[in-house]
Amino acid sequence: MKLGIVIIVILSVLDVFFVIRLKTSSEQIKHLNFLLAAKESQIAEVTAKASYLNDNLIIGYNKFAIADSVIGNLHLIKPLLILRIHSADCNTCIAQSLKVLEMKAHELKYNVAVFADFQSINAVKQEFSVTFPIFIVGKNKIDIDKKAGENAYYFVLEKDNQLHDIFMPKSGRMNLFEEYLAAL
C-alpha cells in the first residue's frame, strides 16, 4: 500500500513536471517562430537590396582598365573616385549626382574627379556647377564605357590603371548611390 502511494506521488510529480515542461516548450516554440519570421523578413530585405544592387550594376573587383593616355595626365598618388559623365546623359541626373558628391566628399577616403566626354572643360562648367577636377576623356577610352552606354557611372581608379567598385545607377535611386558612397 505504501509503495502504491509512493508511486502515485512520483507519477503526480512527474505529471506536474511534464505539464510545466510542455508549457515552457510551447513558449519557446512561439519565440522561435517570432525569430524565424524576423529572420525571413531580414532575408527578404537583403534579397531586395541585392536585386537593387544587381539592377544598378555594382561590380566589385573585375579588372577593367583605362587608356594609358588618360592616366598619364593624372599622376595618381592615391586612388580616385571618378564620376564618369557623358554629354548625352540626363543633365538633371548628373546635377543631382554632383550635388550628392559635393555633400559627401568630405566623408570619403578618396579624392573625387570627373571624367567627361564633353567638348571642353568649359562646356562642363557651363552646364554644371563642378568643384572637382574635370578631365576630358573621350568615349570608349575606358573599357567599361561600352557596357555603360551613355549613362553616368562611378568607379574607383587605382594607381595601376585598374578600375574597381564600379557603380552604374540605372534607376535613379539616390539612396542607393549614397549607400555606394558609404560603402567605399
Side-chain angles (χ1 to χ4, degrees):
M1 180 85 156
K2 283 186 171 184
L3 183 62
I5 293 176
V6 170
I7 290 176
I8 291 176
V9 169
I10 290 174
L11 288 176
S12 297
V13 168
L14 287 174
D15 204 27
V16 168
F17 176 74
F18 178 73
V19 168
I20 291 171
R21 182 75 174 139
L22 186 62
K23 183 172 172 61
T24 305
S25 296
S26 153
E27 289 172 4
Q28 287 176 340
I29 289 171
K30 285 179 187 176
H31 181 69
L32 289 174
N33 283 335
F34 174 77
L35 290 176
L36 181 61
K39 289 295 179 190
E40 287 173 350
S41 173
Q42 288 176 341
I43 289 170
E45 184 178 323
V46 167
T47 302
K49 188 178 237 182
S51 174
Y52 290 138
L53 295 178
N54 189 36
D55 289 346
N56 284 273
L57 260 181
I58 293 185
I59 303 171
Y61 283 89
N62 293 338
K63 294 294 183 185
F64 292 100
I66 190 164
D68 288 338
S69 59
V70 175
I71 296 295
N73 297 332
L74 291 177
H75 307 292
L76 289 177
I77 296 170
K78 69 179 196 176
L80 271 176
L81 172 62
I82 305 291
L83 166 58
R84 173 64 158 152
I85 60 174
H86 301 280
S87 55
D89 198 7
C90 160
N91 286 358
T92 306
C93 300
I94 293 171
Q96 190 175 15
S97 295
L98 285 166
K99 183 179 178 182
V100 172
L101 271 175
E102 290 282 338
M103 292 186 318
K104 301 284 184 180
H106 67 282
E107 299 172 17
L108 299 173
K109 64 182 178 183
Y110 302 109
N111 290 330
V112 179
V114 175
F115 282 7
D117 75 352
F118 286 60
Q119 293 296 320
S120 68
I121 291 174
N122 286 337
V124 177
K125 288 182 177 180
Q126 285 175 350
E127 195 69 40
F128 307 103
S129 173
V130 181
T131 59
F132 305 114
I134 302 167
F135 297 90
I136 300 302
V137 178
K139 289 183 182 181
N140 299 323
K141 292 286 185 181
I142 305 171
D143 287 351
I144 199 77
D145 272 354
K146 292 176 184 135
K147 189 167 187 114
E150 297 293 328
N151 298 321
Y153 62 94
Y154 310 85
F155 61 90
V156 174
L157 178 62
E158 293 286 346
K159 292 181 275 190
D160 63 357
N161 301 3
Q162 298 298 311
L163 284 61
H164 64 84
D165 293 326
I166 299 166
F167 175 63
M168 294 180 201
K170 291 185 178 177
S171 63
R173 294 174 46 94
M174 290 314 291
N175 63 332
L176 190 59
F177 173 58
E178 290 179 20
E179 287 182 34
Y180 166 75
L181 290 178
L184 288 177

